Amino acid sequence: MEDVLAKLNDQQREAVIHDSGPLLIVAGAGTGKTTVLINRLLYLIENKSVKTDNILIVTFTEKGANELVVRADELLPYGYTDLWIYTFHSLADRILRDHGLDIGIGADYKILTQTQQWIFVKKNLAKFKLDYYAPLGNTNKFIGELLRHFSRLKDSHVSSEEYLAYAESLRQNQDNMLSGADEPSKIWELANAYHTYNYLLLDNKFLDFGDLVNYCLKLLQTRPAILKYYQQKFKYVMVDEFQDTNFAQYELIKLLAGANNNLTAVGDDDQSIFKFRGASLSNIMQFKDDYKEAKEIVLTANYRSRQNILDRAYEFIAHNNPNRLEIKLNLNKKLTSSKTSGEVKYLSFSTMVSESQAVVGMIKDLHQEGVTNWSDMAILVRANTTAERFVDELKRQNIPAQFVSLKGLYYKPIILDVLAYWRLLDDYHESSALYRVLNFSEFKINHLDLVNILQFGKTKLWSLYESLVNVSAIPKVGVETNANIVKLLASLKKYSQALKDEPLSRVYVNMVRDIFLPYLNETKHLPDYAYLNQLYKKIIAFEETSPTGLLKDFLELIDWELEAGDSGAVAPNLDDVDTVKVMTVHTAKGLEFKYVWLVDVVDKRFPTISRGEAIPMPLELAKENLPVGDTHLEEERRLFYVAMTRAKEGLIITGARDHGGVGVKKSSKFIAEAGLVEEIIDLGESLNELERDLKQEATTPSLVKIKYELPKRFSFSQLEAYERCPWAYKHLNLLRIPVSPKPAMTFGRVMHNTLCTWLSSAVIGSAQGNLFGDSLAKPDFSQAKLLKIYEDAWQDYGYANRKEAEEYRQLGREMLKGFYEVQTEQSMPTILFLEKKFYPRIGGEILDCTLDRVDKLPDGTVEIIDYKTGTSKPKPSFADKRQLLLYQVALEQLSEVKVSRLTYYYLKTGEQVTFTAKPADLEKINQWVIDTIKEIKSFDFTPRPEVHICKYCDISTICEFRQT
């Protein structure tokens, strides 16, 4: 630990070794707050002898939580399997799953996304009995605003009862009100709608994200024994991105930290940019009032940007005074850097075309000069609508670019193709969908032939589909076109029949394999593999919740999502290839680039025009101290500040004076506030879009070497898959092409979950039966309970048909009955772990190991047991033993136990194959892991085809190397 502390500056070291009591760490941009947080965790474990499960770290986003997990992986040498690192929602979800029944919420609730909430309200709209807010025309137009109102109430921890009581008080005092006569009735209608919404959620076993925190608060506030348990459990509580928390989240943290008061809040009020997600800036401003004895430490040593960039940013954000923590607490938040001044300027161009051309030209020049890689440069925009023209210009100049957006899956060309084909399967006469399908590479129709077909069909009053069916009657159609039409009609017939017999997910996999994958190039179309896989995940989720799983229902779901304003979530991958990133400022938070172009910075674009909430929450219901001043303008300034501090060496801000309307666009007021002078750039007569494209010389495309994103942790199954065939490993684990789930895998997961749930009460230290007193029921280890758990866990998804599903289901029952008989002949085992994750390090690499079961033996040693649903191997080879050998390495490395036995438990026969690891075996498994990961990291994916492997391979039908 001393070596670690020596690497920190004085401010960071002081924050890490803070003794006890509340602590406020004000961490400016680029000051290493994540490093401080994880080092503080390490210090508490090593110097305070605190166990990892006694520390809770909560952060705002999944991205932040994942970053903390990765950093913990890097710094904690002995694992942290019990460390609690969660977002607020996932923390509340875990607590509610365990204890929600104490307030009447079963553990089987489903969490609705924003889009699912919209669909849920749409389906139940008549039950809301709206009058004042009864929509005119488009009945769905206002649903989003209503849901935003409900979300704001939940973020502020306002219950239905409180809202109804407030509405009733308005009705009773209506005569004394100064507001309009319709105000009480409007509020009463909203309060009743809020009450109806919450009732309907609970009645259908649904919760939304706001419910998670609010019901967790209710649980802890009304069940003192449970609150006491968690307060005693968490000796230290840390909150990252504290400036982005809402009122309800802060209340939850204060409850959990109440006993020990060892609360560390890390944040920066100048980077609070998520008000639209419910974030309350008041929390960080209120912290010192709530914890008067709290010590504050300000991190000001910036490790990212050059001093000139920091100076401009500091001068700019000071315009938010006095509503800043620096003024409120009399702090010095001026960031300092050891790096010399960098480039900061504002360039004003005549037109949007010249702006986009010039920005891309600067990017190209820097790269050609060898100054930087493509991935070291980013274009930041205030809104997605601005991004398109810059992405288009990057493509025109053959610069590898990536538009990083969290939305837009359904607008990706390859997904539009898939949906068009499916709409055609749903209705052959959907001419617009058919027209798109006719442009697929698989069915490409000659343009002149298509015109001929359309014109002839028009004379016969045929739909496009009817014209294709009767193409033999149409003269002058080429031979190749005829062949492709025959192929298309056969394809439609094939998949229409398949939809009657097979699950939608299986049909999708086959369709992608046959129609799309043969035409995808890994260099040009790498993102398309990810998009296809993300749509596949959505189909799987749909099948798990839809009783019929019909294509028509799935297409209706997509249409509803689009109507709700949801264009489909996209999981951005920032590490795939060397590309220029184009993204919104919100998306860029937490990232850094050598050079940043902040574009379209003109009046009314940045800052944007303030648009208040369509249905504002009554101020009387607010529980936090509401900020004063122009809150919209101040948040826009914070957003601009975040954009400025993403740049390390150069920040170029740009704008265009002509946006196509009447008059000239002025530069943003933020330019003067940042102390910048407008540089008017005259590129001569600016080319319009057509002239530009006609005159642009062809350039040589950039050579982009594919850099696949490798796993941050490697599992045994990944290493084994690579060993079998690197080519298949690349397609399944890196490109992630959609493949149908194997019935054996689906079945095995259900069996594992069933046994884990049934045996959970036998785990040493289990909470059941003794956590909150002896009044709770004793654990039930009956066969009936075991089979009940199995039936509840069962799902038909993942099998070719219902017959296959039922065969597996019956097999599982027989296996469990056999397991129960064997178990009852023995005494109930003393179990240390069930389904336990460990992250050992071998050769500097992190492994991901999940142990099915670890039993404590009478002599104090342990036995690792792995369940198998396949055929037993009485005399396992070294290759067969490797999985358990790796698990022994993991367990002994990360705990103090000694493993004496390794056992494969074959559920089909009840046979247990037990062996003991030899020292040479453990050395051999370590070397195998090191060598295999080294090969993967060399990006050597040379195929290794063998008949017995190719026969069962998921990509055999699309693999040119397969052996049969």
Side-chain angles (χ1 to χ4, degrees), residues 814-850:
E814 298 305 317
M815 284 185 178
L816 291 173
K817 289 176 183 177
F819 176 84
Y820 181 80
E821 290 174 7
V822 172
Q823 198 63 67
T824 52
E825 291 174 1
Q826 308 166 357
S827 58
M828 185 57 65
T830 302
I831 300 176
L832 282 177
F833 304 118
L834 285 171
E835 294 292 329
K836 189 68 171 178
K837 276 195 170 294
F838 287 91
Y839 304 105
R841 281 183 174 81
I842 297 179
E845 302 293 344
I846 301 172
L847 279 294
D848 186 340
C849 301
T850 302

Side-chain angles (χ1 to χ4, degrees), residues 758 780-789 816-818 820-821 824:
W758 189 69
D780 182 358
F781 291 115
S782 67
Q783 184 182 98
K785 178 68 172 178
L786 175 62
L787 294 177
K788 173 68 165 55
I789 294 171
L816 291 173
K817 289 176 183 177
Y820 181 80
E821 290 174 7
T824 52

Side-chain angles (χ1 to χ4, degrees), residues 338-356:
S338 60
K339 301 172 184 176
T340 55
S341 62
E343 182 182 33
V344 187
K345 56 186 177 182
Y346 175 69
L347 308 179
S348 175
F349 297 91
S350 56
T351 66
M352 292 188 293
V353 173
S354 59
E355 179 190 13
S356 55

Side-chain angles (χ1 to χ4, degrees), residues 252-288:
L252 178 60
I253 286 300
K254 286 192 285 189
L255 271 180
L256 291 173
N260 299 295
N261 223 20
N262 289 327
L263 172 61
T264 299
V266 187
D268 181 8
D269 59 305
D270 290 332
Q271 296 186 72
S272 178
I273 60 173
F274 291 107
K275 182 182 178 184
F276 68 96
R277 292 185 187 172
S280 172
L281 181 61
S282 299
N283 288 347
I284 195 167
M285 307 297 282
Q286 181 72 22
F287 187 85
K288 280 288 287 186

